Every structure is written in structure tokens, then in C-alpha cells.
């Protein structure tokens, strides 16, 4: 079986094993978790969250500026009131700069200097950061300063990918 066929087989078993979902659309715990897409993080398991309880927004680094659209939708249309910003140890986002990423990607994709792809790439901010703890603080500050965000309950954490433990830093 191909990898895709395996996923589809797993989904068939998953769907057959559960009753039809009767949960309402808004998250019952009124919480949004923002975290990195790192494959070693399973936010629901790490935080004891179940289906229907939380919004989980993920991107490279768990960066707040990129997540703003989803956060505004979550709070304004789906009534969440609390935000947990969780970034983590050993994050790949500390290992490169946007300039380095652009150069590498242009080379990998063989983009010519005047191509549309190159122009798009040159406008893409990779939102890398040099150190995780200060970056969590900066992203929490970014949200607290935004007039589009309910700022009453925003906290920030570093997740240790080895131990699975959270350390609050903001
Ligand atoms: Zn990461």
C-alpha cells in the first residue's frame, strides 16, 4: 500500500469506530492554542484536550503574526476568550534566516531572478527567530498590542520536546 492508501484505510477504521459527532461548532473550553507545526508536539495530548474543546492553530514556529487571521475568527465568530501561545525547544525556526531560506529555495526550485515565483519568494517573510523564550514573550506582546484581539487572557509557554513539560514564560 502507498502511504496515502494507509491513511485512507486508517480513516475508514477511525470513522467506523466512533458515533456521529454531535458537538457544537464553538469550542466548549473557549480556548485557542497556538503552537508550532513540529511533528513532535501533539497539543491535545499535551494539554488534556478532547474533541470539541479547543481551537488549535499551528504554523512554522507557532508565530502569532501569521496566526492573527485565525485568532480573530476564533474570538470574534466562535467566542473563544483565552489564548495559549506555545513555542518549543529545538525549534527549526532558530536555524536559518529569511535571506538564507530565500536563497536555498530559489536554488532548489531553480527560480530565475525575474520569475513570478522569485518575486513571491522575495515577499515571503519566514518569521524565524534567534531564541525561543524571548520570542514567546514578543508574540504574546504582539497579541496584547493588537486592537483586533481580546487581550484579557493570553499566556505564553516553552514546550520541552524531550520531557513534554510546559514552562510558562509570559
Ligand atoms: Zn518548531
Amino acid at each position: 500500500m502507498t502511504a496515502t492508501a494507509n491513511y485512507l484505510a486508517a480513516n475508514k477504521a477511525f470513522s467506523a469506530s466512533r458515533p456521529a459527532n454531535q458537538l457544537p461548532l464553538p469550542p466548549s473550553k473557549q480556548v485557542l492554542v497556538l503552537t508550532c507545526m513540529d511533528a513532535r508536539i501533539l497539543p491535545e495530548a499535551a494539554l488534556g484536550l478532547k474533541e470539541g474543546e479547543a481551537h488549535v492553530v499551528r504554523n512554522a514556529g507557532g508565530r502569532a503574526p501569521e496566526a492573527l487571521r485565525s485568532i480573530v475568527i476564533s474570538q470574534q465568530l466562535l467566542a473563544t476568550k483565552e489564548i495559549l501561545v506555545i513555542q518549543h525547544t529545538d525549534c527549526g525556526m532558530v536555524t536559518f534566516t529569511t535571506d538564507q531560506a530565500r536563497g536555498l529555495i530559489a536554488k532548489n526550485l531553480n527560480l530565475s531572478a525575474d520569475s513570478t515565483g522569485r518575486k513571491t519568494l522575495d515577499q515571503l517573510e519566514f518569521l524565524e527567530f534567534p531564541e525561543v523564550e524571548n520570542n514567546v514573550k514578543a508574540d504574546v506582546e504582539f497579541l496584547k498590542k493588537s486592537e483586533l484581539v481580546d487581550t484579557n487572557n493570553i499566556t505564553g509557554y516553552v514546550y520541552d520536546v524531550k520531557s513534554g513539560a510546559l514552562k510558562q514564560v509570559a
Side-chain angles (χ1 to χ4, degrees):
M1 273 208 285
T2 64
T4 305
N6 284 330
Y7 302 140
L8 295 177
N11 176 256
K12 206 169 247 181
F14 169 72
S15 177
S17 72
R18 68 203 289 280
N21 193 332
Q22 306 290 350
L23 296 166
L25 175 57
S28 62
K29 291 204 185 288
Q30 297 191 309
V31 63
L32 177 143
V33 178
L34 168 62
T35 195
C36 184
M37 67 186 190
D38 192 292
R40 298 167 293 181
I41 304 171
L42 296 175
E44 288 84 354
L47 299 171
L49 291 166
K50 297 190 197 68
E51 232 174 323
E53 291 186 337
H55 280 156
V56 178
V57 178
R58 305 189 71 163
N59 61 40
R63 296 303 318 272
E66 183 176 337
L68 187 61
R69 180 185 68 93
S70 298
I71 289 169
V72 172
I73 290 170
S74 176
Q75 291 194 329
Q76 297 302 316
L77 305 182
L78 291 161
T80 62
K81 307 215 173 307
E82 181 179 4
I83 301 173
L84 277 68
V85 177
I86 302 176
Q87 298 172 4
H88 67 98
T89 58
D90 197 34
C91 187
M93 296 296 285
V94 304
T95 63
F96 64 90
T97 66
T98 285
D99 276 349
Q100 287 168 346
R102 284 179 184 149
L104 181 75
I105 293 160
K107 195 166 163 242
N108 284 349
L109 298 177
N110 205 14
L111 298 174
S112 62
D114 59 349
S115 65
T116 305
R118 181 72 217 211
K119 283 172 192 144
T120 303
L121 181 62
D122 284 343
Q123 284 165 11
L124 203 55
E125 294 299 334
F126 283 81
L127 303 177
E128 74 279 11
F129 50 89
E131 190 274 321
V132 66
E133 193 165 319
N134 283 321
N135 195 65
V136 171
K137 291 175 185 168
D139 274 14
V140 167
E141 269 317 291
F142 169 85
L143 293 174
K144 285 186 171 173
K145 281 188 183 139
S146 172
E147 292 180 42
L148 301 180
V149 176
D150 174 351
T151 60
N152 287 319
N153 198 348
I154 306 176
T155 49
Y157 307 83
V158 175
Y159 176 82
D160 186 318
V161 290
K162 287 206 175 100
S163 70
L166 285 174
K167 175 185 164 195
Q168 184 164 3
V169 297

